[in-house]
Amino acid sequence: MADKEAGGSDSGSRGDAVPGGPVRTELGAVGQRCILSPETAPTSAYSSPARSLGDTGITPLSPSHIVNDTDSSVSEQQVFLVVVAIDFGTTSSGYAYSFTKEPECIHVMRRWEGGDPGVSNQKTPTTILLTPERKFHSFGYAARDFYHDLDPYYATQWLYLEKFAMKLHTTGDLTMDTDLTAANGKKVKALEIFAYALQYFKEQALKELSDQAGSEFENSDVRWVITVPAIWKQPAKQFMRQAAYQAGLASPENSEQLIIALEPEAASIYCRKLRLHQMIELSSKAAVNGYSASDTVGAGFAQAKEHIRRNRQSRTFLVENVIGEIWSELEEGDKYVVVDSGGGTVDLTVHQIRLPEGHLKELYKATGGPYGSLGVDYEFEKLLCKIFGEDFIEQFKIKRPAAWVDLMIAFESRKRAAAPDRTNPLNITLPFSFIDYYKKFRGHSVEHALRKSNVDFVKWSSQGMLRMSPDAMNALFKPTIDSIIEHLRDLFQKPEVSTVKFLFLVGGFAEAPLLQQAVQAAFGDKCRIIIPQDVGLTILKGAVLFGLDPAVIKVRRSPLTYGVGVLNRYVEGKHPPEKLLVKDGTRWCTDVFDKFISADQSVALGELVKRSYTPAKPSQLVIVINIYSAEHDSVSFITDPGVKKCGTLRLDLTGTSGAAVPARREIQTLMQFGDTEIKATAVDIATSKSVKVGIDFLNY
């Protein structure tokens, strides 16, 4: 059996330094080397980070193997009285809850104060307002309305943020210190903003629970679930957990109190429960609820909306403890796609049914992109820049931030009125300060600008409105919808996805008739297209069900390749010469990436991957194992491009007498996968000492 050695370093020639055993220092003659202890190890002059730490290495005792069992601690689950799920969306957010003794009742949060005409307000805008002293002031409609009512001069001193969740998706090098930019251009720490928002939801939910129960509800009684897009990278998911810890929802010591749920998984769980009267079928494959496919987009959705409106006063949804009719048609191995189209992103996930329990298996790694309804807002902004000039729009946003928010609110309600068969124009009210500021800025009127621009399909109405033709509004949707359809087409060409039975369209943007029609036209002949009636709340309700029974998701796809840095026996001709290290007469190859699991590999929930190692030298007092990740599968060395350090296990070997320790002492290393968080453990079998670490993407 070939020997390997793993160790660790925090000070290499690369920032994300790598495991290594000994340090090599030249002593004049080639081949003369000495081993330095960690305390005396200098910063390496070599390209290999492995050479920069002292003798903390280990060699394997056994080949790698996967143990398909769950951690014993999983069975000792804490008992919670209630599950509260928070859907932290790009454009709107909300929470819902269910008491564990009444799992069939899901309560959606109290009606929010405020709200806009034509916009349902079971959720609240993801907007937050801080005072000029940077203290939390308000969230949602309250934040927006207060900000809007401020004197324009004072408004520029307040910090107003909206649609900030997208920052976690778009920031490539996300850290705990990442900044967000408020409407007035000032910077504020993203972690602070997310923590303020989650703390606000925590306080609202606990107050509502206490009012309903008639006695004080403690945070310890609550299991929290926060939903995130499946396509968010691991650092963004971890960032959300850190913000929740800072907000006091849970703590690192009691991490099980918080579940980070993936949005399409939550939607999938809810769709299992759908009864025929709770959905609209768009596809041409069959008629449901008495509607033919051609009627469905218009009449079917109108009736569904009316049904929702009538039920809006009741915030309690009954989820029958049965499998819905559509679901009961699915057989072992059947596949379906969940298209979660929200404000910021669109997530596509393919699930497969596993009987008899109907557990879900993620069949194809979540894909998608920034194709949410925000794309329509950006197109509107581009149109305004074309008419009034980019320089003016940029200045207006900075000088009159509250009026810009007003303009986008007016656009939002008209955006929701867009439909494929609409013939009458859509009017968008321009705030008075827009008209006034434009005249000061340019020296002529808004009407003059519209006449001079070559934009035919937008006219000026004497009531102070932009009058857009339906075609002009539909054109704003086109780039975003085209991106979604193209992404779905790519997905349907994958062999794993070719035999999909259903496509569930969920998320806030799924309410848009233009998107519904486009999906139906493109895929109606390939599979049955289903939309849950209260489509904007699907994820929220599914997240509550997930919190009540987290074991329902059985198999996920690993988003990354994980491994540790090791030393292998050096093989002439196979290993690069620059990786050669000679220690005690043994020739080692440094920096080898020893793979635990590959990107896109199926991972059962709670699955453990184990390795057994032994210290390289019996006299070692410490072992350091560094954990690495990469987005691709073809990784050979931890110095390869794209390999990042994401965890360190440091195990103290002191406190054992020589007699009690076997000659080849066993150090077991375990990684537990499957959850949105990944945990690593090293155990010294001789002493039962162990160290645990959560994989960390933000601090390395």
Side-chain angles (χ1 to χ4, degrees):
M1 183 189 70
D3 273 333
K4 295 179 188 173
E5 176 174 327
S9 153
D10 292 313
S11 59
S13 52
R14 267 174 32 135
D16 53 4
V18 193
V23 173
R24 181 177 74 169
T25 55
E26 299 298 336
L27 296 178
V30 176
Q32 276 190 298
R33 302 175 177 106
C34 72
I35 309 304
L36 302 182
S37 70
E39 290 73 31
T40 57
T43 301
S44 170
Y46 292 89
S47 62
S48 164
R51 309 179 196 280
S52 64
L53 192 73
D55 196 5
T56 57
I58 52 180
T59 64
L61 274 175
S62 63
S64 57
H65 62 288
I66 290 181
V67 184
N68 288 313
D69 61 354
T70 48
D71 191 351
S72 57
S73 65
V74 173
S75 56
E76 301 161 20
Q77 292 214 327
Q78 212 172 324
V79 179
F80 299 102
L81 299 180
V82 68
V83 170
V84 179
I86 299 172
D87 180 0
F88 201 125
T90 304
T91 48
S92 60
S93 298
Y95 67 85
Y97 58 92
S98 178
F99 294 98
T100 47
K101 284 185 176 166
E102 293 181 299
E104 66 284 351
C105 292
I106 298 176
H107 309 270
V108 177
M109 61 195 183
R110 290 174 176 159
R111 284 178 67 92
W112 295 89
E113 297 308 311
D116 303 319
V119 179
S120 84
N121 60 342
Q122 287 216 304
K123 293 208 281 190
T124 190
T126 307
T127 53
I128 194 166
L129 184 64
L130 306 189
T131 66
E133 296 75 42
R134 296 175 174 251
K135 295 278 181 278
F136 175 80
H137 180 272
S138 48
F139 186 90
Y141 288 115
R144 213 185 60 188
D145 296 346
F146 185 91
Y147 183 61
H148 162 264
D149 293 341
L150 282 169
D151 177 276
Y153 171 74
Y154 288 113
T156 57
Q157 296 169 36
W158 288 66
L159 286 86
Y160 178 81
L161 295 101
E162 59 179 355
K163 299 166 187 162
F164 48 85
M166 267 306 271
K167 180 82 173 182
L168 298 196
H169 179 65
T170 55
T171 305
D173 53 347
L174 185 70
T175 70
M176 305 288 259
D177 294 321
T178 294
D179 286 326
L180 297 173
T181 306
N184 61 3
K186 288 183 179 165
K187 298 250 189 279
V188 61
K189 290 271 171 280
L191 189 68
E192 216 171 284
I193 295 299
F194 279 83
Y196 275 145
L198 290 171
Q199 193 174 352
Y200 171 78
F201 278 118
K202 174 189 156 189
E203 286 166 6
Q204 292 288 320
L206 287 176
K207 186 171 187 312
E208 181 171 343
L209 288 167
S210 299
D211 290 352
Q212 196 160 326
S215 60
E216 202 63 31
F217 234 86
E218 297 295 329
N219 187 63
S220 56
D221 297 329
V222 180
R223 162 167 264 163
W224 297 94
V225 181
I226 300 174
T227 63
V228 299
I231 55 163
W232 272 14
K233 291 195 167 32
Q234 295 299 98
K237 294 171 186 171
Q238 185 189 334
F239 187 95
M240 209 56 155
R241 182 167 276 276
Q242 293 300 327
Y245 289 162
Q246 192 159 316
L249 273 68
S251 65
E253 297 72 41
N254 192 13
S255 60
E256 287 74 23
Q257 191 177 358
L258 169 67
I259 296 175
I260 302 288
L262 306 182
E263 287 169 4
E265 286 186 350
S268 193
I269 292 163
Y270 181 67
C271 289
R272 305 170 60 175
K273 302 280 190 181
L274 286 175
R275 309 305 304 268
L276 285 176
H277 64 275
Q278 295 172 311
M279 66 179 85
I280 303 105
E281 179 152 6
L282 294 186
S283 46
S284 49
K285 281 208 162 182
V288 166
N289 297 356
Y291 292 109
S292 70
S294 56
D295 298 336
T296 312
V297 173
F301 215 71
Q303 177 161 329
K305 277 189 163 170
E306 185 51 44
H307 172 80
I308 292 162
R309 223 174 269 125
R310 281 200 303 272
N311 287 304
R312 190 144 276 152
Q313 295 310 315
S314 158
R315 296 176 305 105
T316 300
F317 295 85
L318 286 176
V319 180
E320 296 172 60
N321 194 18
V322 294
I323 296 294
E325 286 96 338
I326 286 279
W327 210 264
S328 59
E329 292 179 33
L330 289 169
E331 296 163 0
E332 170 82 48
D334 277 351
K335 305 164 190 173
Y336 61 95
V337 180
V338 178
V339 180
D340 169 21
S341 46
T345 54
V346 167
D347 261 352
L348 313 177
T349 307
V350 185
H351 280 153
Q352 188 173 34
I353 301 293
R354 299 176 73 186
L355 295 176
E357 307 92 340
H359 286 142
L360 309 182
K361 174 182 179 181
E362 186 183 1
L363 198 65
Y364 186 75
K365 194 166 69 171
T367 60
Y371 318 129
S373 60
L374 275 185
V376 185
D377 299 1
Y378 294 143
E379 289 299 316
F380 178 59
E381 194 175 321
K382 271 160 62 179
L383 179 68
L384 292 176
C385 288
K386 194 172 172 187
I387 298 168
F388 302 109
E390 199 173 327
D391 54 342
F392 166 71
I393 295 296
E394 286 310 309
Q395 274 302 301
F396 180 70
K397 282 161 81 173
I398 292 164
K399 295 282 198 264
R400 301 284 187 274
W404 173 255
V405 170
D406 266 5
L407 175 55
M408 292 314 287
I409 291 167
F411 173 69
E412 179 68 27
S413 73
R414 301 326 296 142
K415 181 172 91 176
R416 287 168 183 265
D421 50 358
R422 191 183 174 101
T423 52
N424 52 330
L426 296 120
N427 294 323
I428 297 160
T429 307
L430 284 180
F432 172 74
S433 65
F434 185 99
I435 298 164
D436 182 52
Y437 192 70
Y438 183 79
K439 189 154 181 118
K440 286 176 184 161
F441 190 88
R442 287 271 190 255
H444 58 244
S445 69
V446 162
E447 192 178 354
H448 177 79
L450 272 159
R451 273 204 311 273
K452 272 192 71 178
S453 77
N454 297 323
V455 182
D456 297 334
F457 38 77
V458 182
K459 304 284 183 223
W460 178 246
S461 133
S462 53
Q463 289 98 4
M465 295 177 179
L466 292 179
R467 178 166 287 180
M468 289 182 80
S469 72
D471 287 349
M473 179 61 91
N474 295 1
L476 299 182
F477 279 79
K478 193 174 184 322
T480 303
I481 289 176
D482 285 355
S483 294
I484 295 170
I485 298 298
E486 188 185 340
H487 213 93
L488 267 168
R489 280 217 172 92
D490 289 349
L491 185 70
F492 270 89
Q493 281 166 4
K494 306 271 186 266
E496 307 97 308
V497 188
S498 55
T499 54
V500 159
K501 268 202 177 176
F502 294 102
L503 185 154
F504 291 100
L505 194 56
V506 303
F509 196 28
E511 292 178 358
L514 289 164
L515 176 60
Q516 293 172 20
Q517 190 198 44
V519 172
Q520 183 192 356
F523 306 104
D525 58 340
K526 290 187 176 64
C527 59
R528 292 170 64 181
I529 296 163
I530 308 288
I531 303 183
Q533 267 183 357
D534 218 348
V535 66
L537 297 175
T538 305
I539 289 156
L540 200 46
K541 294 188 234 173
V544 173
L545 294 172
F546 187 37
L548 291 165
D549 180 17
V552 69
I553 302 285
K554 282 296 184 199
V555 179
R556 283 207 178 101
R557 295 270 165 175
S558 175
L560 297 170
T561 296
Y562 294 96
V564 296
V566 302
L567 294 174
N568 266 358
R569 284 290 181 93
Y570 188 84
V571 179
E572 206 73 51
K574 177 186 171 187
H575 294 133
E578 67 272 14
K579 299 291 185 190
L580 173 63
L581 173 70
V582 180
K583 173 194 152 189
D584 297 341
T586 304
R587 292 157 64 82
W588 297 102
C589 176
T590 63
D591 299 341
V592 176
F593 185 98
D594 187 25
K595 206 177 287 180
F596 267 65
I597 210 154
S598 298
D600 208 25
Q601 189 175 329
S602 285
V603 189
L605 196 72
E607 191 164 291
L608 294 174
V609 181
K610 290 186 184 180
R611 301 277 194 280
S612 286
Y613 297 100
T614 190
K617 280 169 58 174
S619 58
Q620 263 175 243
L621 299 179
V622 71
I623 281 172
V624 178
I625 303 168
N626 283 332
I627 302 161
Y628 296 85
S629 66
E631 289 190 13
H632 49 95
D633 189 24
S634 52
V635 186
S636 302
F637 296 98
I638 48 94
T639 48
D640 289 353
V643 178
K644 292 182 177 157
K645 183 173 168 186
C646 57
T648 299
L649 288 162
R650 189 179 183 90
L651 189 58
D652 180 7
L653 301 182
T654 56
T656 52
S657 63
V661 179
R664 286 173 78 72
R665 181 174 187 170
E666 185 179 355
I667 308 295
Q668 216 172 60
T669 308
L670 307 95
M671 269 196 226
Q672 186 173 20
F673 295 91
D675 193 0
T676 40
E677 285 75 47
I678 295 150
K679 299 179 179 75
T681 311
V683 183
D684 180 357
I685 299 299
T687 63
S688 299
K689 273 191 188 175
S690 68
V691 283
K692 286 190 178 184
V693 65
I695 301 295
D696 185 346
F697 297 95
L698 296 171
N699 295 311
Y700 281 98

